[in-house]
Amino acid sequence: EESQVMCEQLKSDLHRAAETISVLRETVADQEEKERLRFEEEARRVDKEEETLMASAKLDMEKQLSHLRESLEGQIDSLERELEEERKSSAEQQHELQHRLEEATSRLSASESEMTAMMSKKESKLTKQLQTSEK
């Protein structure tokens, strides 16, 4: 009878051990599921954070590109204005030089005409003097 009691006691202990093992397995399974869910949540959070950082970086880059574009457009406009001013100034200088050249040419031509007329008068005078002295 004592062995029967002991046998019953062992069966009871074995049953409790099986229940404990079952509960522990469920607990482990629950913990694994919670860990899996927590890991998935963390992965989603990291993905969202990465997405936010990428969007922010993209915005910053677009702003920088916009500022650079505006700056370059301003420089281009300024250079185009300078070039136009230089062209205008160059054209004005060219017209001024052309005008001076025409005036100088005109004065030279007038001087040549005067010189020719004076030479002609002197030649005529000398010819008369020669003729007078020969007579």
Side-chain angles (χ1 to χ4, degrees):
E1 191 152 308
E2 198 176 297
S3 62
Q4 183 136 1
V5 169
M6 201 167 174
C7 194
E8 288 298 321
Q9 183 66 37
L10 285 174
K11 279 184 184 177
S12 175
D13 288 347
L14 193 59
H15 182 69
R16 275 198 314 265
E19 285 179 357
T20 302
I21 290 171
S22 179
V23 167
L24 287 174
R25 283 185 178 151
E26 287 177 19
T27 302
V28 167
D30 286 347
Q31 287 176 345
E32 286 175 348
E33 180 64 14
K34 285 178 184 174
E35 185 67 24
R36 185 186 64 78
L37 292 173
R38 196 173 80 238
F39 178 79
E40 287 176 359
E41 181 62 33
E42 180 66 13
R44 280 192 296 275
R45 187 192 64 74
V46 167
D47 286 346
K48 184 168 179 123
E49 190 175 299
E50 187 177 274
E51 186 179 310
T52 302
L53 286 173
M54 291 298 283
S56 177
K58 181 181 177 190
L59 253 175
D60 287 346
M61 188 69 98
E62 287 172 351
K63 283 180 185 177
Q64 288 177 359
L65 285 174
S66 177
H67 288 307
L68 180 61
R69 185 179 302 112
E70 288 171 8
S71 173
L72 290 175
E73 286 172 352
Q75 290 176 10
I76 288 169
D77 289 345
S78 176
L79 288 171
E80 285 175 343
R81 282 192 302 275
E82 284 181 35
L83 180 60
E84 186 56 36
E85 288 172 10
E86 288 292 325
R87 284 181 181 157
K88 186 177 180 182
S89 175
S90 177
E92 289 171 357
Q93 288 176 352
Q94 185 178 358
H95 289 305
E96 176 65 25
L97 289 173
Q98 183 67 34
H99 179 69
R100 288 182 185 179
L101 179 61
E102 289 170 358
E103 285 181 347
T105 303
S106 175
R107 284 194 306 269
L108 179 61
S109 181
S111 292
E112 285 177 345
S113 294
E114 286 177 22
M115 209 50 145
T116 303
M118 280 179 27
M119 293 289 274
S120 185
K121 280 183 183 178
K122 282 196 176 202
E123 189 181 323
S124 177
K125 190 176 181 183
L126 281 174
T127 304
K128 282 184 185 177
Q129 283 179 350
L130 277 176
Q131 286 174 353
T132 306
S133 68
E134 285 180 0
K135 287 186 186 179

